[in-house]
């Protein structure tokens, strides 16, 4: 079996990639380790998905269904319950090994799209002391229990971390009758989208405590309580501020990490800032023929952007499968000033005469700010923002068509400009 494009991961990024590769005329296969398509959207039963793309407030499953229908209409073959375990480069492309209900098998493909999503950070990664009782879950696991299995994770819940999934779970647990005692955030400002702060906490009178964290858990078999502490400016617990809260459940919403074992095994360059592959403006990684999109590339806050990146990766993989051209030298894109990172990390020469979509995050919350896109001393484009916050990813389409030849890096400099 030889394909033009094999897409790994059937979440919104992988679905969009498979559809766009197929529409570009490629022979595509979509592989998903779970029993149905949709990725994490399957368990996101709240609304708010697709506002940009469909101008509608869809639930996660409704959003995914629109792409799943397209996959069916285009008759794209899908391998469910199929876990890709290993990939090796070969002269024509790649050998892919996978485990499915039929056993271990191997196939060949000219290109790969990695759309493996991200995973949640766990209690081990945030160093909480104490015993190891039941009742401590990541927000995604609690979401899976509540929304897909119909089981409540507990009755008296403390949420650690104000990331979006934690905020959404705070509201969900309250709606299902649990006491949600509060959301505790170690940083001095919330980590979630403003709309989720309002709709999930304020509307349900769930308190948010900033610069506070969980330092210890109590209980042998089942969680009985947690110790909360205030933290100083270095985010270190302040002695004497310890306070015990009785609860049976601790929900962790302490960050997402792109899932990239396959990319790492292929020796794809990983960006230490995003924890995802370094990609060019065609979504190609440092290994020619390997493309990355969605949360595997970098953690996105809106699914609309995830689908957009999947579409780019799928179309680019289909094109590469036909022409096998890597292109010539690439122009780096660099974040400066208050910009924390910018992706894609470089622009292909052939895209230098067109429009390229970039995404960036800021380092800290700023008021009115200006992004200046420049190369050397030449300003390419400017954009003003009324405010920027690290949880909210920003997008800018840069029109490189207007510029003369670019030889130096494209720099994205973000500065606060005041009222
Ligand atoms: C727990 C959790 C809850 C979230 N809740 C919300 C929310 O409520 N609202 C919101 O706007 N955003 C939410 N997000 C953000 C969400 O991840 C993105 O909006 C988007 O769904 C990411 O799409 P994706 O396709 O990149 O990844 P995913 O949706 O995670 O899809 C990745 C897919 O790849 C598959 N896969 C991974 N490795 C392999 C392999 N080796 N072989 C085969 N298949 C593989 C996985 O099974 C999965 O189906 C949540 C994220 C997480 C992690």
């Amino acid at each position: 079996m030889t394909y033009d494009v094999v897409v790994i991961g059937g979440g919104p990024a992988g679905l969009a990639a498979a559809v766009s590769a197929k529409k570009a005329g490629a022979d595509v296969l979509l592989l998903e380790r779970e029993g149905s398509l949709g990725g994490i959207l399957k368990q996101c039963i709240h609304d708010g998905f697709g506002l940009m793309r469909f101008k509608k407030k869809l639930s996660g499953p409704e959003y995914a269904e629109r792409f799943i229908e397209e996959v069916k209409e285009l008759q794209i073959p899908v391998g469910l319950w199929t876990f890709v375990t290993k990939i090796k480069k070969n002269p024509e492309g790649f050998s892919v090994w996978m485990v499915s209900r039929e056993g271990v098998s191997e196939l060949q493909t000219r290109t790969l799209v990695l759309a493996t999503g991200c995973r949640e950070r766990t209690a081990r990664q945030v160093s909480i002391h104490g015993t190891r009782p039941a009742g401590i879950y990541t927000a995604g696991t609690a979401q899976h229990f509540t929304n897909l299995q119909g089981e409540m994770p507990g009755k008296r819940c403390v949420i650690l971390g104000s990331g979006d999934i934690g905020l959404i779970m705070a509201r969900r647990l309250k709606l299902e009758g649990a006491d949600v005692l509060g959301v505790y955030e170690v940083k001095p400002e919330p980590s979630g989208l403003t709309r989720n702060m309002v709709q999930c906490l304020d509307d349900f009178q769930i308190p948010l405590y900033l610069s506070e964290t969980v330092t210890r858990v109590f209980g042998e078999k089942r969680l009985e309580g947690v110790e909360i502490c205030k933290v100083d400016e270095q985010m270190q617990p302040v002695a004497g501020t310890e306070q015990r809260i009785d609860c049976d459940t601790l929900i962790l919403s302490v960050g997402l990490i792109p899932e990239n074992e396959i990319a790492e095994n292929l020796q794809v360059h990983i960006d230490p800032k995003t924890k995802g592959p370094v990609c060019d403006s065609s979504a190609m990684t440092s290994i020619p023929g390997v493309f990355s999109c969605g949360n595997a590339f970098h953690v996105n806050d809106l699914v609309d952007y995830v689908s957009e990146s999947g579409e780019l990766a799928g179309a680019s993989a289909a094109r590469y499968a036909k022409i096998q051209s890597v292109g010539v030298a690439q122009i780096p894109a660099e974040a400066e000033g208050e910009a924390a990172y910018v992706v894609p990390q470089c622009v292909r020469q052939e895209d230098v005469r067109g429009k390229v979509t970039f995404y960036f995050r800021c380092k800290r919350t700023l008021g009115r700010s200006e992004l200046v896109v420049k190369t050397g001393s030449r300003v390419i484009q400017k954009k003003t923002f009324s405010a920027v916050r690290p949880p909210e990813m920003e997008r800018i389409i840069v029109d490189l068509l207007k510029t003369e030849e670019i030889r130096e890096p494209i720099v994205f400099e973000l500065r606060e400009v005041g009222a």
Side-chain angles (χ1 to χ4, degrees):
M1 286 188 290
T2 300
Y3 294 90
D4 293 329
V5 180
V6 166
V7 179
I8 305 172
L15 286 166
V19 167
S20 75
K22 183 73 185 184
K23 284 182 177 167
D27 199 5
V28 186
L29 173 67
L30 175 58
L31 298 174
E32 167 55 51
R33 66 185 171 191
E34 293 190 354
S36 54
L37 295 173
I40 208 72
L41 296 186
K42 298 196 289 289
Q43 64 187 59
C44 299
I45 61 169
H46 55 279
D47 68 7
F49 292 86
L51 281 170
M52 287 171 66
R53 176 172 284 254
F54 299 116
K55 310 280 178 272
K56 277 194 172 159
K57 267 193 188 177
L58 302 173
S59 68
E62 283 171 335
Y63 184 94
E65 200 52 40
R66 295 193 171 209
F67 290 86
I68 295 170
E69 281 304 316
E70 272 200 273
V71 166
K72 284 185 193 152
E73 276 164 26
L74 292 166
Q75 298 181 342
I76 298 171
V78 177
L80 295 175
W81 298 118
T82 305
F83 196 155
V84 174
T85 51
K86 195 171 77 174
I87 294 174
K88 268 199 173 166
K89 179 100 189 78
N90 64 36
E92 286 79 40
F94 303 89
S95 304
V96 178
W97 281 268
M98 61 223 155
V99 182
S100 68
R101 293 189 163 184
E102 281 72 51
V104 179
S105 54
E106 184 194 338
L107 60 80
Q108 312 300 319
T109 180
R110 291 190 180 87
T111 67
L112 283 165
V113 176
L114 306 178
T116 46
C118 58
R119 62 167 66 119
E120 297 174 279
R121 294 176 78 208
T122 63
R124 275 183 79 85
Q125 287 157 297
V126 288
S127 313
I128 298 174
H129 300 285
T131 47
R132 289 283 172 264
I136 304 176
Y137 308 99
T138 61
T141 305
Q143 196 177 45
H144 194 277
F145 278 154
T146 317
N147 294 351
L148 292 185
Q149 291 178 237
E151 301 283 351
M152 281 290 276
K155 292 184 180 139
R156 275 178 69 79
C157 310
V158 165
I159 316 260
L160 176 61
S162 59
D164 289 313
I165 315 167
L167 302 179
I168 282 158
M169 278 317 290
R171 174 179 66 182
R172 185 82 187 102
L173 292 168
K174 183 115 181 187
L175 280 169
E176 289 297 334
D179 281 337
V180 180
L181 305 170
V183 175
Y184 292 84
E185 169 59 58
V186 72
K187 288 189 236 144
E189 57 182 299
S191 298
L193 295 175
T194 306
R195 75 170 195 217
N196 285 335
M197 303 297 303
V198 175
Q199 293 171 7
C200 300
L201 300 190
D202 299 355
D203 289 358
F204 289 83
Q205 288 95 47
I206 297 170
L208 169 68
Y209 302 95
L210 298 173
S211 299
E212 294 194 31
T213 192
V214 171
T215 41
R216 183 169 288 275
V217 297
F218 305 103
E220 287 302 322
K221 287 206 163 124
R222 176 81 201 191
L223 184 71
E224 290 167 7
V226 295
E227 181 187 79
I228 305 282
C229 238
K230 291 196 190 307
V231 299
D232 61 21
E233 278 163 14
Q234 278 70 48
M235 288 197 243
Q236 295 305 311
V238 178
T241 62
E242 299 85 358
Q243 178 201 349
R244 180 177 162 138
I245 296 179
D246 291 336
C247 59
D248 61 11
T249 307
L250 174 64
I251 308 277
L252 303 168
S253 177
V254 288
L256 301 171
I257 305 169
E259 188 156 333
N260 275 306
E261 276 77 6
I262 293 174
E264 281 165 19
N265 288 340
L266 275 167
Q267 309 216 309
V268 160
H269 292 166
I270 300 290
D271 183 334
K273 286 187 189 163
T274 59
K275 311 272 188 288
V278 171
C279 283
D280 67 19
S281 46
S282 75
M284 190 154 79
T285 67
S286 57
I287 306 279
V290 179
F291 297 79
S292 173
C293 56
N295 279 2
F297 175 28
H298 65 119
V299 175
N300 286 254
D301 48 5
L302 293 178
V303 73
D304 311 70
Y305 295 152
V306 166
S307 301
E308 188 172 74
S309 81
E311 280 166 347
L312 174 67
S316 301
R319 190 175 63 223
Y320 182 88
K322 280 192 205 122
I323 58 171
Q324 299 273 318
S325 153
V326 189
V328 279
Q330 302 184 348
I331 317 282
E334 294 169 359
E336 244 183 41
E338 297 288 353
Y341 74 77
V342 61
V343 291
Q345 291 90 340
C346 52
V347 177
R348 293 166 70 86
Q349 274 293 351
E350 65 217 50
D351 291 332
V352 167
R353 305 304 300 159
K355 289 184 181 176
V356 178
T357 306
F358 291 91
Y359 308 89
F360 71 94
R361 283 185 198 267
C362 57
K363 289 179 184 161
R364 60 188 180 95
T365 298
L366 303 173
R368 196 177 146 75
S369 307
E370 186 179 61
L371 180 77
V372 179
V373 186
K374 58 188 181 182
T375 179
S377 57
R378 194 151 35 103
V379 172
I380 303 173
Q381 205 164 309
K382 286 183 181 179
K383 187 171 177 181
T384 308
F385 299 85
S386 53
V388 285
R389 294 182 58 228
E392 288 169 18
M393 198 174 76
E394 302 292 348
R395 174 176 180 266
I396 178 168
I397 299 173
V398 179
D399 191 353
L400 297 170
L401 201 63
K402 287 191 270 174
T403 62
E404 295 148 35
E405 200 180 354
I406 295 180
R407 293 188 185 279
E408 292 175 84
I410 302 170
V411 173
F412 291 73
E413 187 183 21
L414 183 69
R415 296 258 174 251
E416 193 167 30
V417 288

